[in-house]
């Protein structure tokens, strides 16, 4: 099979590409490297079944050609990360909404199946956990930038579902809950790479707010498995499905676990939201998915435990640090 992945040089996209290539599929990868990087896919260049195009989705001619060649399209290109959203709201809204529109329009001409990645952010301030896919979305006011991400992703979902209802364009939508693992960057504020990076450097582990807010973290390998199973079943077409784990941890609890598992002596530092993001920032207090639908449709439930995930991220970052030190020493002694 031939798969097109938009955002294929990003964190989730590169893991998906790796998995498809390992199992023998052909991968066309489109990425403008805005948040993705060549470093994420360099190890995949050894496959002659991998073809990458460092172009934006606005290159509609290329997009149309790649859609023609592909059997299935994974649309993962998006602006993600709360820090990025707060700092660059225009980019977030335009990238997320316009990108999905362009992909759906191109795919619809050929009726190619489109997988669209959405996010648990769309549940917003809803406090009725676990979140069922048909729950109300409770977003904050438009004056608070954070909610533009949830609103743009919710619009993506509306658009995809409308293409299915009105034009019979097949779509599969997944709401990803805090996907983490090797290669995720902390540059856009994500907590797991931030905490592990800080612990390894001996720098303060920065807990925003009280630290009593909680999240459920899902290993990217499990998210990829769930995504692949969703696109493989007709039952998921025209459906929205949660993808994640329901094992909840507070952010302070995560900080302690990271400190302990990395053997770090870093202090844990609490930083008010106003300082970490922007004045008046609103966080989501809890975010737990109901996974019954995922299990019913795919027979799969993510199982990687949090300690395992922390260890995997730590070992990846240690490897990266060792490689950097090696290069620096090499240059210094050259
Ligand atoms: N967070 C934190 N320290 C950091 C980065 C994030 O305490 O260095 C908190 C953040 O405020 C949120 C949680 O960790 O409550 C998860 O943040 P992330 O950006 O990873 O994902 P979100 O669930 O907010 O999309």
């Amino acid at each position: 099979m031939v798969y097109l992945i938009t955002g294929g040089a990003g964190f989730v996209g590169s893991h998906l590409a790796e998995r498809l290539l390992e199992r023998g599929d052909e991968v066309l990868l489109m990425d403008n490297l805005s948040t993705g990087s060549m470093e994420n896919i360099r190890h995949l260049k050894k496959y002659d079944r991998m073809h990458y195009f460092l172009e934006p989705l606005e290159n509609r001619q290329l997009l149309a050609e790649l859609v023609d060649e592909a059997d299935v399209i994974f649309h993962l290109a998006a602006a993600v990360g709360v820090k990025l959203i707060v700092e660059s709201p225009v980019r977030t809204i335009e990238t997320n909404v316009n990108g999905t529109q362009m992909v759906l329009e191109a795919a619809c001409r050929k009726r190619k199946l489109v997988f669209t990645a959405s996010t648990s952010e769309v549940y917003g301030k809803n406090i009725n956990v676990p979140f069922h896919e048909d729950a109300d979305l409770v977003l904050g006011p438009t004056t608070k930038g954070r909610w533009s991400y949830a609103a743009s992703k919710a619009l993506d979902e509306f658009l995809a579902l409308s293409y299915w209802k009105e034009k019979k364009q097949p779509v599969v939508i997944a709401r990803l809950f805090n996907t983490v693992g090797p290669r995720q960057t902390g540059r856009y504020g994500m907590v797991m790479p931030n905490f592990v990076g800080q612990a390894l450097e001996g720098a303060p582990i920065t807990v925003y707010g009280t630290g009593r807010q909680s999240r459920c973290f899902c290993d990217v390998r499990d998210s990829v498995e769930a995504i692949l199973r969703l696109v493989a079943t007709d039952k998921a077409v025209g459906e929205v499905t949660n993808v994640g784990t329901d094992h909840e941890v507070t952010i302070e609890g995560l900080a302690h676990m990271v400190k302990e598992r990395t053997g770090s002596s870093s202090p844990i530092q609490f930083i008010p939201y106003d300082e970490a993001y922007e004045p008046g920032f609103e966080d989501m207090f809890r975010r737990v998915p109901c996974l019954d639908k995922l299990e019913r449709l795919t027979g799969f439930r993510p199982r990687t435990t949090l300690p395992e995930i922390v260890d995997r991220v730590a070992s990846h970052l240690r490897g990266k640090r060792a490689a950097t030190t090696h290069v620096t020493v090499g240059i210094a002694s050259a």
Side-chain angles (χ1 to χ4, degrees), residues 22 44 61 65 116 129 139 155 160 174 183 186 196 207 226 233 243 253 266 285 287 294 297:
E22 274 168 7
L44 303 178
Q61 165 115 22
E65 283 167 21
T116 298
V129 293
L139 304 189
L155 191 57
R183 298 207 286 274
V196 177
V207 173
T233 170
V243 168
S266 289
F285 195 62
R287 208 191 248 179
L294 176 67
L297 292 180

PDB file of all heavy atoms in Angstrom, residues 22 44 61 65 116 129 139 155 160 174 183 186 196 207 226 233 243 253 266 285 287 294 297:
ATOM      1  N   GLU A  22       8.670  -0.182   8.068  1.00  0.00           N
ATOM      2  CA  GLU A  22       9.108  -1.458   8.663  1.00  0.00           C
ATOM      3  C   GLU A  22       8.240  -2.615   8.195  1.00  0.00           C
ATOM      4  O   GLU A  22       8.714  -3.728   8.034  1.00  0.00           O
ATOM      5  CB  GLU A  22       9.039  -1.377  10.196  1.00  0.00           C
ATOM      6  CG  GLU A  22      10.285  -0.781  10.823  1.00  0.00           C
ATOM      7  CD  GLU A  22      10.086  -0.450  12.303  1.00  0.00           C
ATOM      8  OE1 GLU A  22       9.024  -0.808  12.888  1.00  0.00           O
ATOM      9  OE2 GLU A  22      10.978   0.193  12.863  1.00  0.00           O
ATOM     10  N   LEU A  44      15.225   7.104   8.286  1.00  0.00           N
ATOM     11  CA  LEU A  44      14.314   6.407   7.363  1.00  0.00           C
ATOM     12  C   LEU A  44      14.770   6.509   5.917  1.00  0.00           C
ATOM     13  O   LEU A  44      14.199   5.886   5.028  1.00  0.00           O
ATOM     14  CB  LEU A  44      12.901   6.995   7.496  1.00  0.00           C
ATOM     15  CG  LEU A  44      12.294   6.945   8.903  1.00  0.00           C
ATOM     16  CD1 LEU A  44      10.917   7.589   8.919  1.00  0.00           C
ATOM     17  CD2 LEU A  44      12.190   5.489   9.387  1.00  0.00           C
ATOM     18  N   GLN A  61      -0.417  21.592  -6.398  1.00  0.00           N
ATOM     19  CA  GLN A  61      -0.116  20.689  -7.525  1.00  0.00           C
ATOM     20  C   GLN A  61       0.560  19.421  -6.994  1.00  0.00           C
ATOM     21  O   GLN A  61       0.164  18.307  -7.325  1.00  0.00           O
ATOM     22  CB  GLN A  61       0.832  21.430  -8.476  1.00  0.00           C
ATOM     23  CG  GLN A  61       1.502  20.542  -9.482  1.00  0.00           C
ATOM     24  CD  GLN A  61       1.069  20.861 -10.893  1.00  0.00           C
ATOM     25  OE1 GLN A  61       0.604  21.975 -11.168  1.00  0.00           O
ATOM     26  NE2 GLN A  61       1.199  19.905 -11.774  1.00  0.00           N
ATOM     27  N   GLU A  65      -0.782  15.522  -6.837  1.00  0.00           N
ATOM     28  CA  GLU A  65      -0.026  14.394  -7.411  1.00  0.00           C
ATOM     29  C   GLU A  65       0.187  13.293  -6.370  1.00  0.00           C
ATOM     30  O   GLU A  65       0.048  12.109  -6.658  1.00  0.00           O
ATOM     31  CB  GLU A  65       1.335  14.877  -7.927  1.00  0.00           C
ATOM     32  CG  GLU A  65       1.231  15.597  -9.256  1.00  0.00           C
ATOM     33  CD  GLU A  65       2.509  16.344  -9.623  1.00  0.00           C
ATOM     34  OE1 GLU A  65       3.573  15.993  -9.081  1.00  0.00           O
ATOM     35  OE2 GLU A  65       2.425  17.283 -10.446  1.00  0.00           O
ATOM     36  N   THR A 116      -7.722  12.032   9.839  1.00  0.00           N
ATOM     37  CA  THR A 116      -7.443  13.369  10.372  1.00  0.00           C
ATOM     38  C   THR A 116      -7.140  13.286  11.859  1.00  0.00           C
ATOM     39  O   THR A 116      -7.919  12.698  12.622  1.00  0.00           O
ATOM     40  CB  THR A 116      -8.663  14.295  10.153  1.00  0.00           C
ATOM     41  OG1 THR A 116      -8.867  14.412   8.752  1.00  0.00           O
ATOM     42  CG2 THR A 116      -8.429  15.682  10.701  1.00  0.00           C
ATOM     43  N   VAL A 129     -15.252  13.623  33.338  1.00  0.00           N
ATOM     44  CA  VAL A 129     -14.374  12.569  32.831  1.00  0.00           C
ATOM     45  C   VAL A 129     -14.948  11.217  33.226  1.00  0.00           C
ATOM     46  O   VAL A 129     -15.624  11.125  34.257  1.00  0.00           O
ATOM     47  CB  VAL A 129     -12.928  12.725  33.369  1.00  0.00           C
ATOM     48  CG1 VAL A 129     -12.288  13.953  32.825  1.00  0.00           C
ATOM     49  CG2 VAL A 129     -12.880  12.663  34.878  1.00  0.00           C
ATOM     50  N   LEU A 139     -15.573  25.182  25.583  1.00  0.00           N
ATOM     51  CA  LEU A 139     -14.406  26.030  25.341  1.00  0.00           C
ATOM     52  C   LEU A 139     -14.529  27.363  26.078  1.00  0.00           C
ATOM     53  O   LEU A 139     -15.630  27.827  26.362  1.00  0.00           O
ATOM     54  CB  LEU A 139     -14.242  26.297  23.844  1.00  0.00           C
ATOM     55  CG  LEU A 139     -14.143  25.058  22.948  1.00  0.00           C
ATOM     56  CD1 LEU A 139     -13.761  25.473  21.527  1.00  0.00           C
ATOM     57  CD2 LEU A 139     -13.127  24.061  23.486  1.00  0.00           C
ATOM     58  N   LEU A 155     -13.197  22.643  14.271  1.00  0.00           N
ATOM     59  CA  LEU A 155     -13.645  22.990  12.922  1.00  0.00           C
ATOM     60  C   LEU A 155     -13.134  21.954  11.912  1.00  0.00           C
ATOM     61  O   LEU A 155     -13.851  21.569  10.985  1.00  0.00           O
ATOM     62  CB  LEU A 155     -13.158  24.402  12.557  1.00  0.00           C
ATOM     63  CG  LEU A 155     -13.773  24.994  11.302  1.00  0.00           C
ATOM     64  CD1 LEU A 155     -15.290  25.040  11.384  1.00  0.00           C
ATOM     65  CD2 LEU A 155     -13.236  26.418  11.074  1.00  0.00           C
ATOM     66  N   ALA A 160     -14.308  17.607   8.181  1.00  0.00           N
ATOM     67  CA  ALA A 160     -14.118  16.218   7.754  1.00  0.00           C
ATOM     68  C   ALA A 160     -15.451  15.469   7.783  1.00  0.00           C
ATOM     69  O   ALA A 160     -15.809  14.771   6.826  1.00  0.00           O
ATOM     70  CB  ALA A 160     -13.095  15.539   8.668  1.00  0.00           C
ATOM     71  N   ALA A 174      -9.397  10.859  14.741  1.00  0.00           N
ATOM     72  CA  ALA A 174      -8.993  10.408  16.078  1.00  0.00           C
ATOM     73  C   ALA A 174      -8.638  11.612  16.932  1.00  0.00           C
ATOM     74  O   ALA A 174      -7.976  12.533  16.461  1.00  0.00           O
ATOM     75  CB  ALA A 174      -7.796   9.474  15.983  1.00  0.00           C
ATOM     76  N   ARG A 183      11.712  11.551  20.455  1.00  0.00           N
ATOM     77  CA  ARG A 183      11.673  12.521  19.347  1.00  0.00           C
ATOM     78  C   ARG A 183      10.684  13.671  19.552  1.00  0.00           C
ATOM     79  O   ARG A 183      10.682  14.615  18.768  1.00  0.00           O
ATOM     80  CB  ARG A 183      11.398  11.858  17.989  1.00  0.00           C
ATOM     81  CG  ARG A 183      12.452  10.872  17.557  1.00  0.00           C
ATOM     82  CD  ARG A 183      12.510  10.746  16.045  1.00  0.00           C
ATOM     83  NE  ARG A 183      11.410  10.015  15.460  1.00  0.00           N
ATOM     84  CZ  ARG A 183      11.382   8.693  15.326  1.00  0.00           C
ATOM     85  NH1 ARG A 183      12.399   7.973  15.738  1.00  0.00           N
ATOM     86  NH2 ARG A 183      10.358   8.091  14.760  1.00  0.00           N
ATOM     87  N   GLY A 186      10.579  19.546  23.314  1.00  0.00           N
ATOM     88  CA  GLY A 186      10.016  20.371  24.384  1.00  0.00           C
ATOM     89  C   GLY A 186       9.909  21.827  23.964  1.00  0.00           C
ATOM     90  O   GLY A 186       9.443  22.673  24.714  1.00  0.00           O
ATOM     91  N   VAL A 196      11.827  15.663  31.420  1.00  0.00           N
ATOM     92  CA  VAL A 196      12.932  14.703  31.334  1.00  0.00           C
ATOM     93  C   VAL A 196      14.223  15.442  30.982  1.00  0.00           C
ATOM     94  O   VAL A 196      15.277  15.187  31.567  1.00  0.00           O
ATOM     95  CB  VAL A 196      12.615  13.575  30.330  1.00  0.00           C
ATOM     96  CG1 VAL A 196      13.803  12.633  30.190  1.00  0.00           C
ATOM     97  CG2 VAL A 196      11.378  12.797  30.767  1.00  0.00           C
ATOM     98  N   VAL A 207       7.054  22.962  37.158  1.00  0.00           N
ATOM     99  CA  VAL A 207       5.640  22.584  37.220  1.00  0.00           C
ATOM    100  C   VAL A 207       4.808  23.861  37.132  1.00  0.00           C
ATOM    101  O   VAL A 207       4.963  24.759  37.963  1.00  0.00           O
ATOM    102  CB  VAL A 207       5.336  21.835  38.542  1.00  0.00           C
ATOM    103  CG1 VAL A 207       3.843  21.583  38.684  1.00  0.00           C
ATOM    104  CG2 VAL A 207       6.116  20.531  38.596  1.00  0.00           C
ATOM    105  N   ALA A 226      -3.016   2.289  17.235  1.00  0.00           N
ATOM    106  CA  ALA A 226      -4.452   2.598  17.237  1.00  0.00           C
ATOM    107  C   ALA A 226      -4.858   3.258  15.920  1.00  0.00           C
ATOM    108  O   ALA A 226      -5.885   2.909  15.323  1.00  0.00           O
ATOM    109  CB  ALA A 226      -4.775   3.516  18.412  1.00  0.00           C
ATOM    110  N   THR A 233     -10.333  -0.376   9.456  1.00  0.00           N
ATOM    111  CA  THR A 233     -11.705  -0.880   9.627  1.00  0.00           C
ATOM    112  C   THR A 233     -12.741   0.093   9.063  1.00  0.00           C
ATOM    113  O   THR A 233     -12.695   1.289   9.363  1.00  0.00           O
ATOM    114  CB  THR A 233     -12.031  -1.195  11.111  1.00  0.00           C
ATOM    115  OG1 THR A 233     -13.427  -1.451  11.213  1.00  0.00           O
ATOM    116  CG2 THR A 233     -11.674  -0.073  12.060  1.00  0.00           C
ATOM    117  N   VAL A 243      -8.113   8.362  21.276  1.00  0.00           N
ATOM    118  CA  VAL A 243      -6.923   7.500  21.283  1.00  0.00           C
ATOM    119  C   VAL A 243      -6.031   7.958  22.434  1.00  0.00           C
ATOM    120  O   VAL A 243      -5.582   9.105  22.469  1.00  0.00           O
ATOM    121  CB  VAL A 243      -6.144   7.599  19.949  1.00  0.00           C
ATOM    122  CG1 VAL A 243      -4.776   6.938  20.061  1.00  0.00           C
ATOM    123  CG2 VAL A 243      -6.944   6.953  18.819  1.00  0.00           C
ATOM    124  N   GLY A 253       2.891  14.809  40.238  1.00  0.00           N
ATOM    125  CA  GLY A 253       3.238  13.386  40.344  1.00  0.00           C
ATOM    126  C   GLY A 253       4.203  12.992  39.239  1.00  0.00           C
ATOM    127  O   GLY A 253       5.164  12.238  39.457  1.00  0.00           O
ATOM    128  N   SER A 266      17.517  17.368  40.518  1.00  0.00           N
ATOM    129  CA  SER A 266      16.836  18.638  40.181  1.00  0.00           C
ATOM    130  C   SER A 266      15.787  18.993  41.226  1.00  0.00           C
ATOM    131  O   SER A 266      15.020  18.122  41.647  1.00  0.00           O
ATOM    132  CB  SER A 266      16.089  18.500  38.843  1.00  0.00           C
ATOM    133  OG  SER A 266      16.973  18.430  37.778  1.00  0.00           O
ATOM    134  N   PHE A 285      -8.170  21.046  33.717  1.00  0.00           N
ATOM    135  CA  PHE A 285      -7.793  20.448  34.990  1.00  0.00           C
ATOM    136  C   PHE A 285      -7.580  18.942  34.859  1.00  0.00           C
ATOM    137  O   PHE A 285      -6.583  18.389  35.317  1.00  0.00           O
ATOM    138  CB  PHE A 285      -8.844  20.783  36.042  1.00  0.00           C
ATOM    139  CG  PHE A 285      -8.348  20.502  37.431  1.00  0.00           C
ATOM    140  CD1 PHE A 285      -7.242  21.179  37.933  1.00  0.00           C
ATOM    141  CD2 PHE A 285      -8.962  19.547  38.223  1.00  0.00           C
ATOM    142  CE1 PHE A 285      -6.752  20.897  39.209  1.00  0.00           C
ATOM    143  CE2 PHE A 285      -8.483  19.268  39.505  1.00  0.00           C
ATOM    144  CZ  PHE A 285      -7.373  19.944  39.992  1.00  0.00           C
ATOM    145  N   ARG A 287      -8.153  15.396  32.113  1.00  0.00           N
ATOM    146  CA  ARG A 287      -8.375  15.031  30.713  1.00  0.00           C
ATOM    147  C   ARG A 287      -8.211  13.520  30.601  1.00  0.00           C
ATOM    148  O   ARG A 287      -7.098  13.018  30.477  1.00  0.00           O
ATOM    149  CB  ARG A 287      -7.276  15.708  29.912  1.00  0.00           C
ATOM    150  CG  ARG A 287      -7.626  16.020  28.514  1.00  0.00           C
ATOM    151  CD  ARG A 287      -6.386  16.412  27.838  1.00  0.00           C
ATOM    152  NE  ARG A 287      -6.356  17.794  27.464  1.00  0.00           N
ATOM    153  CZ  ARG A 287      -5.310  18.343  26.859  1.00  0.00           C
ATOM    154  NH1 ARG A 287      -4.236  17.636  26.652  1.00  0.00           N
ATOM    155  NH2 ARG A 287      -5.351  19.597  26.502  1.00  0.00           N
ATOM    156  N   LEU A 294     -12.737   2.957  21.047  1.00  0.00           N
ATOM    157  CA  LEU A 294     -11.490   2.508  20.395  1.00  0.00           C
ATOM    158  C   LEU A 294     -11.390   0.986  20.479  1.00  0.00           C
ATOM    159  O   LEU A 294     -11.100   0.313  19.480  1.00  0.00           O
ATOM    160  CB  LEU A 294     -10.276   3.153  21.081  1.00  0.00           C
ATOM    161  CG  LEU A 294      -8.912   2.697  20.555  1.00  0.00           C
ATOM    162  CD1 LEU A 294      -8.695   3.160  19.108  1.00  0.00           C
ATOM    163  CD2 LEU A 294      -7.769   3.210  21.435  1.00  0.00           C
ATOM    164  N   LEU A 297     -14.002  -0.731  18.194  1.00  0.00           N
ATOM    165  CA  LEU A 297     -13.721  -0.641  16.757  1.00  0.00           C
ATOM    166  C   LEU A 297     -12.462  -1.396  16.346  1.00  0.00           C
ATOM    167  O   LEU A 297     -12.372  -1.897  15.228  1.00  0.00           O
ATOM    168  CB  LEU A 297     -13.553   0.829  16.337  1.00  0.00           C
ATOM    169  CG  LEU A 297     -14.791   1.721  16.400  1.00  0.00           C
ATOM    170  CD1 LEU A 297     -14.449   3.139  15.964  1.00  0.00           C
ATOM    171  CD2 LEU A 297     -15.897   1.166  15.516  1.00  0.00           C
TER     172      LEU A 297
END
